[in-house]
Amino acid sequence: MNTSYSALWTEMLKARRSKVPLLTTIGFLLAPLTGGLFMVIMKDPERAREMGLLSTKAQLVMSTAEWSTFFSMLTQAIAIGGFILFSIVTSWVFGREFADRTAKDLMAVPTSREEIVSAKLIVIAVWVVLVTILIFGVGLLVGTWVDIPGWTNQLAWSSFRDVMITAGLNLLLITPVTFFATAGRGYLPPFGWTILAIFFAQIIAATGWGDWFPWSVPALFSGMVGPRGEQLGLHSYILVFLASLLGLGATFYWWRNTDQTR
């Protein structure tokens, strides 16, 4: 228990003293701010067109400025942008040990390797939950400031649930990133995997088979392609959990069996 607490405390200190979580959070704040800008444009598209913010062609396809539209934008931003930013933090948490050449020292400490990996995963999970809540909260402030119509408490709670579930799906799907960051001993392999996963997620979702590809599920759940009930089934969520377990298993196996001198 003491070693587990020490491992967790160490990882929390690393995160607190680094600028990576802060910078990624600031970058993620662009999601609600951009959504607010779109709401301003939608509320008065003619004025936005006169100011050069909106072309005549684009004006014809804009949605209405309502809280439901704004919440949908936030959910979709977390579905795509969240996976990218969560992967960046995950790559840093696991890859920095190799970039800083501290991995072999970390593997030689009395704390078990399973506890070290678990501590890293807990820090990532806490960061994902906190930053998602922060983004939603900022979104509420931006939407209130813009004075978007159509607010209901039921809509807000259901949208918050959707946002958290979308973030949770992405959290489950970043476990392969932990494996590529450790087995690849750095930042580039997990970044490459992230780009590849997003690429295939978009392509496969466009072909109509996204419900069978785990990394397409968050975007489909967010409503980016269409109504989720028509896009996803129970098998989709099962595949997400299986992909997550595969990434976790590969990561723990690598840490347990790797040579500490390498």
Side-chain angles (χ1 to χ4, degrees):
M1 181 65 181
N2 290 334
T3 56
S4 298
Y5 177 80
S6 298
L8 180 59
W9 180 252
T10 300
E11 293 301 326
M12 291 176 62
L13 286 178
K14 291 178 183 178
R16 184 172 64 85
R17 294 175 179 177
S18 174
K19 295 181 180 180
V20 173
L22 175 62
L23 293 177
T24 53
T25 301
I26 293 175
F28 209 2
L29 287 175
L30 291 175
L33 296 178
T34 302
L37 175 61
F38 284 148
M39 290 297 105
V40 171
I41 293 174
M42 293 177 190
K43 287 183 66 175
D44 194 350
E46 184 61 29
R47 183 179 179 184
R49 185 181 63 81
E50 293 175 355
M51 296 173 61
L53 297 176
L54 180 66
S55 67
T56 303
K57 181 178 180 181
Q59 179 179 331
L60 299 177
V61 299
M62 295 295 283
S63 302
T64 57
E66 296 178 346
W67 274 103
S68 59
T69 304
F70 182 67
F71 284 138
S72 178
M73 287 183 177
L74 278 182
T75 306
Q76 293 173 19
I78 290 175
I80 301 300
F83 180 72
I84 297 174
L85 291 176
F86 299 163
S87 295
I88 291 175
V89 171
T90 302
S91 300
W92 171 78
V93 170
F94 281 86
R96 65 167 294 175
E97 306 296 351
F98 302 95
D100 296 343
R101 301 183 183 277
T102 59
K104 65 179 182 179
D105 299 323
L106 188 63
M107 294 176 186
V109 299
T111 305
S112 72
R113 298 180 183 185
E114 289 81 2
E115 290 174 330
I116 294 173
V117 174
S118 298
K120 291 178 178 295
L121 292 172
I122 290 173
V123 168
I124 294 171
V126 170
W127 181 88
V128 168
V129 171
L130 291 180
V131 77
T132 303
I133 294 174
L134 173 64
I135 295 305
F136 190 83
V138 172
L140 293 179
L141 294 177
V142 171
T144 302
W145 179 70
V146 175
D147 193 21
I148 306 173
W151 169 275
T152 65
N153 291 335
Q154 182 179 0
L155 174 63
W157 280 110
S158 64
S159 299
F160 178 72
R161 178 201 61 201
D162 290 346
V163 164
M164 296 305 298
I165 292 176
T166 302
L169 291 171
N170 276 330
L171 178 62
L172 290 172
L173 290 171
I174 61 174
T175 57
V177 177
T178 67
F179 171 72
F180 284 107
T182 52
R185 300 175 181 273
Y187 302 125
L188 292 181
F191 287 162
W193 162 256
T194 299
I195 295 173
L196 190 66
I198 293 175
F199 173 78
F200 278 109
Q202 298 299 311
I203 296 299
I204 295 176
T207 63
W209 291 91
D211 57 320
W212 290 97
F213 188 67
W215 287 269
S216 297
V217 173
L220 295 177
F221 181 86
S222 70
M224 184 172 294
V225 179
R228 76 175 64 125
E230 300 177 2
Q231 302 288 331
L232 300 175
L234 178 61
H235 64 282
S236 305
Y237 303 105
I238 292 175
L239 288 173
V240 169
F241 279 102
L242 290 178
S244 180
L245 291 176
L246 181 62
L248 282 176
T251 302
F252 277 101
Y253 179 84
W254 189 95
W255 276 82
R256 174 178 292 181
N257 295 280
T258 193
D259 188 349
Q260 72 182 50
T261 62
R262 296 178 60 188

